[in-house]
């Protein structure tokens, strides 16, 4: 199953999302292989995943089934499709000149992908520089999704952002355990030991804002958090939270 993104950082975000939801049987980053070996060529992130007991919504009937996902940029995908048609569907040996041309094209695509990242970064900076000044004042003001988003971006700038509507869900999760003001949320985030949480959860990739804050609340409130928030998502949420709580607080710990 090919999944395509516009820029390379989004490849990592997709991989993070998938590996956080399914059991990882095989994980191979072709671009990392090329970097280690000093070569140029096909660059994609290949995953073989399995639907486990801690399955996402809608996968309950597929426990134990495995599937392959190839995550790549649209440029990488175009190169791979064309290369496959020429090399693997050819009836005979491929002319060395063609092989060389593919290698050169792969290098150019790598450069183009890097330029797309540069463009995206510069556009984001311009957008931030022209945006209204954040007038967030920590205090007893009611916590909103917009304020929570700003706080998480400031506290966890390296963690992937989540979809806009998911931050409203986080506000509801926090309200369920009594965190309803900007001041309370700020205290929770600034006092958190994010490194310790990450180590306990053993994330394979950088966790997104929703996942890591959900885990922080779970670690802080334990079973009470499960009881109060299990109904705020699909029917599988309670089981997933119990599984993750066991990782945070193992029985033998």
């Amino acid at each position: 199953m090919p999944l395509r993104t516009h820029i390379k950082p989004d490849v990592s975000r997709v991989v993070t999302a998938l590996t956080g939801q399914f059991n990882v049987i095989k994980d191979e980053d072709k671009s990392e292989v090329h970097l280690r070996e000093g070569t140029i060529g096909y660059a994609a992130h290949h995953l073989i995943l399995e639907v486990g007991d801690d399955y996402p919504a809608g996968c309950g009937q597929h426990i134990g089934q495995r599937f392959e996902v190839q995550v790549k940029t649209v440029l990488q995908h175009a190169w791979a499709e064309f290369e496959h048609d020429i090399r693997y569907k050819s009836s005979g040996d491929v002319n060395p000149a063609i092989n060389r041309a593919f290698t050169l094209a792969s290098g150019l695509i790598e450069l183009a992908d890097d330029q797309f990242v540069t463009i995206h970064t510069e556009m984001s900076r311009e957008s931030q520089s022209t945006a209204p000044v954040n007038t967030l004042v920590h205090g007893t003001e009611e916590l909103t999704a917009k304020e929570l988003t700003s706080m998480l971006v400031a506290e966890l700038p390296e963690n992937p952002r989540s979809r806009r509507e998911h931050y409203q869900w986080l506000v509801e999760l926090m309200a369920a355990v009594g965190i309803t003001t900007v001041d309370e949320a700020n205290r929770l985030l600034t006092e958190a030991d994010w490194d310790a949480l990450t180590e306990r959860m053993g994330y394979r990739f950088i966790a997104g804002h929703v996942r890591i804050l959900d885990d922080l609340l779970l670690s802080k409130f334990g079973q009470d958090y499960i009881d109060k928030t299990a109904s705020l998502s699909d029917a599988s949420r309670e089981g997933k939270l119990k599984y993750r709580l066991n990782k945070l607080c193992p029985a033998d710990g």
Side-chain angles (χ1 to χ4, degrees), residues 136 138-139 141-144 147-148 151-152 155 170-171 174 178-192 194 213 216-217:
L136 176 64
H138 294 160
E141 297 177 3
E142 182 180 357
L143 181 66
T144 67
E147 290 165 337
L148 180 58
M151 295 166 71
L152 285 169
E155 181 69 23
L170 284 177
V171 170
M174 297 174 77
I179 301 174
T180 59
T181 68
V182 170
D183 185 63
E184 291 167 341
N186 181 64
R187 188 178 306 114
L188 173 74
L189 298 183
T190 56
E191 294 178 357
W194 299 108
L213 181 53
L216 176 65
L217 293 167

Side-chain angles (χ1 to χ4, degrees), residues 27-238:
D27 182 341
E28 183 179 21
D29 186 345
K30 301 287 187 179
S31 62
E32 287 294 329
V33 173
H34 288 306
L35 285 174
R36 289 197 305 268
E37 298 178 352
T39 57
I40 295 175
Y42 175 67
H45 204 126
H46 285 202
L47 298 169
I48 296 180
L49 305 171
E50 179 183 72
V51 181
D53 294 332
D54 186 27
Y55 56 84
C59 295
Q61 297 180 346
H62 304 285
I63 294 177
Q65 293 186 11
R66 296 182 179 183
F67 59 98
E68 181 180 2
V69 182
Q70 300 172 4
V71 190
K72 63 193 83 172
T73 67
V74 290
L75 291 181
Q76 292 167 356
H77 179 74
W79 183 94
E81 288 288 294
F82 186 52
E83 190 259 1
H84 183 270
D85 285 342
I86 298 298
R87 282 181 172 165
Y88 294 96
K89 293 184 180 180
S90 175
S91 58
D93 293 336
V94 178
N95 188 317
I98 293 178
N99 290 330
R100 181 174 183 275
F102 271 120
T103 300
L104 291 172
S106 178
L108 291 172
I109 285 173
E110 183 175 327
L111 291 173
D113 271 333
D114 289 342
Q115 291 306 307
F116 282 166
V117 173
T118 298
I119 293 169
H120 181 268
T121 301
E122 289 302 318
M123 292 296 293
S124 297
R125 287 174 180 170
E126 289 184 11
S127 176
Q128 292 174 4
S129 66
T130 58
V133 176
N134 184 8
T135 57
L136 176 64
V137 178
H138 294 160
T140 58
E141 297 177 3
E142 182 180 357
L143 181 66
T144 67
K146 182 177 180 181
E147 290 165 337
L148 180 58
T149 302
S150 298
M151 295 166 71
L152 285 169
V153 169
E155 181 69 23
L156 300 168
E158 300 301 320
N159 293 69
R161 298 190 187 190
S162 302
R163 293 173 59 179
R164 183 177 302 177
E165 60 269 25
H166 290 172
Y167 290 95
Q168 178 57 46
W169 183 63
L170 284 177
V171 170
E172 295 173 11
L173 294 179
M174 297 174 77
V177 289
I179 301 174
T180 59
T181 68
V182 170
D183 185 63
E184 291 167 341
N186 181 64
R187 188 178 306 114
L188 173 74
L189 298 183
T190 56
E191 294 178 357
D193 189 338
W194 299 108
D195 291 337
L197 176 64
T198 297
E199 183 177 354
R200 294 293 294 274
M201 292 306 299
Y203 302 123
R204 289 179 59 85
F205 300 95
I206 300 176
H209 286 164
V210 167
R211 176 59 189 271
I212 198 168
L213 181 53
D214 196 21
D215 284 339
L216 176 65
L217 293 167
L218 178 62
S219 67
K220 184 175 180 63
F221 296 99
Q223 184 60 46
D224 187 49
Y225 181 68
I226 297 177
D227 295 338
K228 291 179 177 178
T229 68
S231 62
L232 297 180
S233 184
D234 57 78
S236 66
R237 175 169 170 79
E238 183 174 3

